[in-house]
Amino acid sequence: MAGLPSPSSAEHLPPQWRADSPRLTRIVRCLVGHTVEDVERELILTSLDHYRGNRTYTAKVLGISIRCLRNKINLYAALGIVVPAPSEREDTRTGQAH
């Protein structure tokens, strides 16, 4: 359409994201064919796992409210999906519990 950026253009992205545009484009192309709901669920669950179940930090990194994250977690649990629990796992790099 006239006046709209092409799908491969980074012009519509905020300046801080433009440098990541080629990488993000490759990632997004791998996601074509999946629903936004499925991608969102995997991103939330993988982020929770990565941040050792820390809900507050995960919500902040994802740019969503803690309430939104809790609602998603409750939905996933109701569907029988295993949600990473907060962990006191020791950080192997520092030897400290987190």
Side-chain angles (χ1 to χ4, degrees), residues 2 6-7 11-13 19 22 27 31 42 45 49-50 54 58 62 67 71 87 91 93 95:
S6 67
E11 295 172 8
H12 66 284
L13 296 172
I27 292 168
L31 300 173
E42 287 304 312
L45 294 174
D49 185 56
H50 181 79
N54 184 320
T58 297
L62 293 175
R67 176 178 278 183
N71 289 342
S87 173
D91 188 332
R93 293 170 294 166

Side-chain angles (χ1 to χ4, degrees), residues 40 44 56 58-69 72:
E40 177 188 59
I44 288 171
T56 303
T58 297
K60 183 176 181 174
V61 168
L62 293 175
I64 61 176
S65 70
I66 188 67
R67 176 178 278 183
C68 178
L69 181 61
K72 297 289 184 180

Side-chain angles (χ1 to χ4, degrees), residues 14-30:
Q16 69 271 22
W17 292 355
R18 288 184 188 147
D20 288 337
S21 182
R23 183 175 61 90
L24 291 174
T25 298
R26 285 191 304 275
I27 292 168
V28 169
R29 285 188 177 153
C30 293

Side-chain angles (χ1 to χ4, degrees), residues 35-62:
T35 66
V36 171
E37 182 180 357
D38 290 344
V39 172
E40 177 188 59
R41 182 183 60 249
E42 287 304 312
L43 181 59
I44 288 171
L45 294 174
T46 301
S47 295
L48 279 167
D49 185 56
H50 181 79
Y51 297 115
R52 298 182 179 96
N54 184 320
R55 272 87 165 124
T56 303
Y57 193 74
T58 297
K60 183 176 181 174
V61 168
L62 293 175

Side-chain angles (χ1 to χ4, degrees), residues 73-96:
I73 289 170
N74 289 337
L75 173 64
Y76 303 155
L79 294 171
I81 298 169
V82 177
V83 177
S87 173
E88 285 295 321
R89 185 174 68 181
E90 185 176 295
D91 188 332
T92 56
R93 293 170 294 166
T94 65
Q96 297 176 341

